[in-house]
Amino acid sequence: MHELALCSVEHDGHAVLSGYVRTFEDGVLWAGFEGIVRGVAEGDVYLLRVLDDARGECVYQGEVARITADTVAFVGVELLSTLQKRAVARVAVHVEVQGFARLAAVREEHEHGHEHGAGPAAEAVEVDGEAEEVPFVFTVLDVSAHGMRMMSQTELPLGSEVRFVFPELSAAFWLQAVVVRAQPSRSGTHYGCRFVETSDRETDELFSYVLRTQGALRRQQKLA
């Protein structure tokens, strides 16, 4: 269980080692580390914080039974808590995607005081269910199990719907998202989008992708 999941070793509220789970069976957890093991002692009890693709964050407690150059064996390992971080887990990426957008209509309202140069106020209107889908290209900048931030040269009014296949997922399926905010930038507008009509399986796939990518980025940082 938890094989290759990220694992940090904590003592008195501080992380003393960061590595990964090699094996975990019958209450014995072997953790592996990139460098020489330091900061732990045999016989002492530590917290083990494991970030698992499927189970989320699992916190254990175990006693150090054996230390080698790059591994530590913990015995009597007991689960203290679990936390599914689906709502908050997010990872920065840079993935080019081709998709389709159904644009929401925009209504301009002239409010009192605009004669002083403020200009008309724009208000998003819900997308017409019969509106034609248009192909467009965008870049996913970060993603979670429930939404994403993307950049595009295509103007997408608030309320527009986006449909695409995210190529990074192990399973290919269509995702749908609604544009909920926009922020102009020099390279293109950044859009915040909320996924809609996703099944439990699709949410699980997204959450697993976020955790896998977070783990890969951390490993790269350690090796750099």
Side-chain angles (χ1 to χ4, degrees), residues 11-98:
H11 188 65
D12 291 335
H14 300 284
V16 294
L17 285 171
S18 295
Y20 62 96
V21 177
R22 295 186 64 174
T23 62
F24 183 23
E25 296 179 358
D26 300 325
V28 179
L29 187 152
W30 278 91
F33 306 93
E34 298 294 340
I36 301 298
V37 171
R38 294 186 177 90
V40 296
E42 292 185 4
D44 286 352
V45 176
Y46 297 86
L47 285 181
L48 305 170
R49 193 177 304 274
V50 178
L51 196 59
D52 188 281
D53 285 358
R55 296 177 175 86
E57 182 183 82
C58 301
V59 179
Y60 297 91
Q61 179 176 281
E63 177 185 335
V64 174
R66 185 180 176 188
I67 301 173
T68 70
D70 60 353
T71 63
V72 178
F74 297 88
V75 297
V77 177
E78 297 180 354
L79 179 65
L80 299 181
S81 65
T82 60
L83 175 63
Q84 288 287 354
K85 292 188 171 181
R86 295 177 188 272
V88 297
R90 180 177 295 271
V91 65
V93 295
H94 191 92
V95 180
E96 299 289 338
V97 179
Q98 293 183 340

Side-chain angles (χ1 to χ4, degrees), residues 10 13-14 17 31 45 92 119 128 130 144 158 164 186-187 198 204 210 219-220 224:
E10 301 178 6
H14 300 284
L17 285 171
V45 176
D128 183 350
E130 298 181 357
S144 74
L158 299 186
F164 66 101
R186 293 181 179 179
S187 53
T198 50
D204 288 343
V210 170
R219 293 188 187 99
Q220 291 175 3

Side-chain angles (χ1 to χ4, degrees), residues 128-140:
D128 183 350
E130 298 181 357
E132 182 181 357
E133 282 189 330
V134 296
F136 80 117
V137 177
F138 61 95
T139 302
V140 178

Side-chain angles (χ1 to χ4, degrees), residues 182-198:
Q183 178 65 49
S185 72
R186 293 181 179 179
S187 53
T189 303
H190 290 198
Y191 295 100
C193 302
R194 182 182 72 252
F195 293 137
V196 295
E197 299 181 11
T198 50

